[in-house]
Structures are given as C-alpha cells and as structure tokens.
Amino acid sequence: MAADDPSDDEVRAALDAYLARGRNRRPGQPPTDFLLTRLHLLEGTVTRRVEHRTEEIRHRPGTVALSERPVYDVLRDYKLGPHETPLDQPIDLVKRGTVHLRSCDCGNGRRRCADCNGMKYRPCEPAEVCTVCQGVTACTHYLNHGGLPGTPPRPPKPGRADRPDERVTCEGCHTPGSACPGCRGWGKVRCSECDASGRIPCTPCGRTGTVECATCEGCGNLTSWTAGRIEWTSTRKGVPSPVPRPRRVASELDSGGWRQDRLGSDDPLPGDLSPDHRAALEPHLRRWEGEKEREAVIQRLTVVRATPPGSANLQFYVFRSTDGRLSVLRRLSEEGRWKAWLAVAAVVALVVLVLVLLL
C-alpha cells in the first residue's frame, strides 16, 4: 500500500463521522461492518518528441542566399548543437557541393501566352444576336431580301430598345415600319466586346504575346541544391487505466488528491508502483524510433468502495482529497438504481390502472 492510501481504520473513521453528521446511523450497523473494496486507479500520459530527417532536391527562381544555412555531408550523421531543438521551427540544411545556378528552359524569363497563343489578341465573333428581337422577328418582310435575314459585312450598332414594339425601316428590304429597332432588320448587331473587329486584345499578356515564366518567375535562371531538413514532432498519448474510475463518482474524483510523478526519458518507475500498474505502464514507455525526449506523467489515487452489510442498495466511496482529508460520497448502487426504477415503474403502472378503471 502506498503512503497516500488510507488505512482501513481511517476509512471506517471517516464513514463513522459521515454517518454521524447525517444522522443516518442505524442501530446495529457500526462502520466496522462495512465491506471495503480498494480500487487503485492509475491515469497517465506519455509525451514524446520524435525526430524526422528528410532530404530532397529543390529549385528556386533566381539566385538564392544559402550561405547562412548549416552544411552537411551525410544527413544522418549531422549532430545538432546543444541549443538546437527543432520542435517549433525545423532546421534547414544544405548538402555540401550541391548548389548550382542553371538557366531556365524559357530562355529569357518569358513564355508564350496560353490565352492568345502569342497572337496578342483573342478571336471574337463580330456579331451577336439582337437582344430586342432575339433574331426571330427582325423583319416582317424578310422574303423581300432573299429569305431569312443575313448578316451584313459589318453589323449595325445596337439600337435603342426603349420601345421594342415600335418598328423601323428595314435596312435589308427598305420596307417602312417592318424592322426591329434594335437590329434594323438584320437579326444581329455588332459585338459589344470587339465592335465587329473580330479581335479582342489579350488581357493576361497585356497585348505582348508573352507572360512571365512561372518556373523562374521571370528571372531566366534557377538555383538548385540538395536540401536536408531536421524537425521534431510532439505526440501525446494516454495510458489506458487497468482499473477505470467508478462511474458513479467519476467527475468528483477530479478534485481528489492524486499522487503525481513526472518521469523523464531515463527515469525509472516509482519504487512503490504495484505490479499491475507497472505492467500497464511499461509497454507505453518503450523507446520509439527517432525518439529524442520523453516525459511521462502518471497519477495514482486509491478509492475505497464501502458496502453496508445486508444492503446492496447503497455504496459509499472514500478517497483522499487535495487537502489530505478523506472525502465520503454516498451513491445508489447498480442494484439500488434498478430497484428504484422498478418501484417507479410499478407506481406509474398502478396509476394508469386506476385511471383506466375510473374511466
């Protein structure tokens, strides 16, 4: 038994005081008759810092300043300084003899514009359907100019559509009052973007036909090198408890006087640890590959469950609080809760039966 575990005499004294305060002591039931069951709780977390070393070839536009980065020959042999702990910020290194400047395949930092294919403009339809008549009722006498309305060599500018029902003279058949005021009989009007020129200036390249090379960002060359990176990641895992908290008082145990131990990477387990607790902890303290630091935080608390003799309905839980005193909590047992539920169900059934008989 650990030094913080309450003795049987202490537990019974705490139960005696609790029952006396509540005036719940029944004749013939001294606290010494309680059946005491000890629950040795163990909770803990293990935090590790694991190192990862990676290496890759990098390319960056233009000339890259790499002189301040540490240099290495073999990445796995590089030794960190006493104050280098790459947990929050990785350490970037450069492999010796791998830095060189080379030309980009674009030649001069420019590439042909993909939008216009180097033509400086984009093709466009010179005419678009009239928005007033939708090209359907452009002219009521379209047969007078050779069938369906055609498109003139240069479509007319869009007309005003303030009064779309009003007809104007058709420019194709010259019939008064027969044409749509928007297209004047042609069914199409000049494109609003290219003004019937068939070309729209290319915006991405600024009408130059070329754009900045995305690979070298317009520099025309690239810096290449072999980059090494060392970084630590922090992982935290809980230790499954061999004995779970009693469900009836699980939240109340947060205020208990848990005994806490903090163990570093090379610290042994506490000498007073029980075999069950030691067996639960040891698998979680094995060293991981790349592990550099480890901290284990373990907490222990003994909870005594006291069951009154001859009554399985009540249970008392006794544990040491943070001030060192023993706390006592009174709870219904599983059997007591089941009996209470059955009693409530019986009362409800009786009430329903009475109401049925009365009605």
Side-chain angles (χ1 to χ4, degrees):
M1 184 175 67
D4 292 341
D5 290 357
S7 65
D8 289 353
D9 292 339
E10 289 180 296
V11 171
R12 291 190 171 95
L15 287 169
D16 189 17
Y18 177 83
L19 294 174
R21 286 194 302 269
R23 296 180 181 179
N24 291 325
R25 178 184 297 181
R26 293 183 297 175
Q29 184 189 329
T32 53
D33 292 339
F34 278 85
L35 175 62
L36 304 183
T37 304
R38 292 180 176 271
L39 307 175
H40 300 287
L41 307 183
L42 171 72
E43 297 180 358
T45 58
V46 180
T47 303
R48 288 180 171 87
R49 293 179 177 179
V50 182
E51 182 182 87
H52 304 275
R53 298 195 176 200
T54 56
E55 191 176 56
E56 65 175 350
I57 297 177
R58 293 182 182 175
H59 309 281
R60 294 293 183 271
T63 303
V64 182
L66 301 171
S67 59
E68 295 184 357
R69 296 190 182 184
V71 179
Y72 70 95
D73 295 303
V74 180
L75 185 59
R76 68 172 179 271
D77 296 336
Y78 182 84
K79 297 186 180 300
L80 294 173
H83 302 293
E84 290 181 312
T85 53
L87 182 61
D88 299 322
Q89 182 68 34
I91 297 178
D92 290 315
L93 307 96
V94 177
K95 188 171 185 178
R96 194 185 310 275
T98 62
V99 181
H100 63 278
L101 188 68
R102 65 177 181 85
S103 297
C104 180
D105 58 2
C106 68
N108 62 350
R110 308 286 296 181
R111 291 187 183 274
R112 179 182 294 179
C113 176
D115 284 72
C116 66
N117 198 26
M119 298 174 63
K120 304 181 183 180
Y121 64 87
R122 291 186 290 111
C124 180
E125 285 293 332
E128 59 186 12
V129 176
C130 174
T131 59
V132 179
C133 66
Q134 302 299 322
V136 178
T137 57
C139 177
T140 57
H141 294 76
Y142 61 91
L143 293 177
N144 292 341
H145 50 95
L148 294 175
T151 302
R154 185 173 176 82
K157 292 183 178 181
R160 296 180 64 181
D162 296 338
R163 301 176 64 183
D165 296 335
E166 180 183 349
R167 310 298 284 181
V168 298
T169 300
C170 176
E171 292 185 356
C173 64
H174 306 292
T175 303
S178 64
C180 165
C183 60
R184 295 183 291 282
W186 294 107
K188 292 186 178 182
V189 294
R190 294 183 189 180
C191 173
S192 57
E193 290 192 58
C194 67
D195 195 28
S197 66
R199 296 182 177 185
I200 299 176
C202 184
T203 303
C205 66
R207 294 182 291 182
T208 62
T210 60
V211 294
E212 183 182 273
C213 175
T215 304
C216 66
E217 297 181 0
C219 297
N221 50 46
L222 297 166
T223 299
S224 301
W225 76 97
T226 300
R229 168 167 284 195
I230 303 175
E231 59 182 336
W232 289 5
T233 57
S234 180
T235 61
R236 181 180 180 182
K237 289 191 174 182
V239 178
S241 175
V243 179
R245 291 188 183 191
R247 190 162 58 92
R248 301 287 176 235
V249 294
S251 59
E252 288 83 351
L253 292 181
D254 290 337
S255 61
W258 293 79
R259 177 179 177 182
Q260 187 179 93
D261 295 282
R262 290 183 176 271
L263 308 176
S265 300
D266 301 320
D267 294 335
L269 290 173
D272 61 346
L273 205 62
S274 68
D276 290 342
H277 287 179
R278 187 177 296 272
L281 283 170
E282 285 178 344
H284 298 275
L285 298 180
R286 294 169 184 164
R287 185 175 294 275
W288 288 8
E289 182 181 358
E291 179 182 305
K292 294 301 179 182
E293 295 179 0
R294 183 185 68 220
E295 182 186 51
V297 180
I298 59 175
Q299 297 185 119
R300 290 175 285 168
L301 180 68
T302 297
V303 179
V304 181
R305 183 170 56 208
T307 305
S311 173
N313 298 336
L314 288 178
Q315 287 179 337
F316 297 86
Y317 293 89
V318 184
F319 58 92
R320 200 175 296 280
S321 59
T322 54
D323 59 4
R325 301 178 182 179
L326 291 182
S327 297
V328 180
L329 298 177
R330 179 173 178 241
R331 294 290 186 271
L332 277 176
S333 65
E334 288 289 345
E335 184 177 347
R337 289 171 63 89
W338 177 250
K339 289 179 180 178
W341 185 87
L342 288 178
V344 172
V347 171
V348 172
L350 181 59
V351 171
V352 172
L353 179 61
V354 171
L355 291 176
V356 170
L357 295 176
L358 291 178
L359 296 178

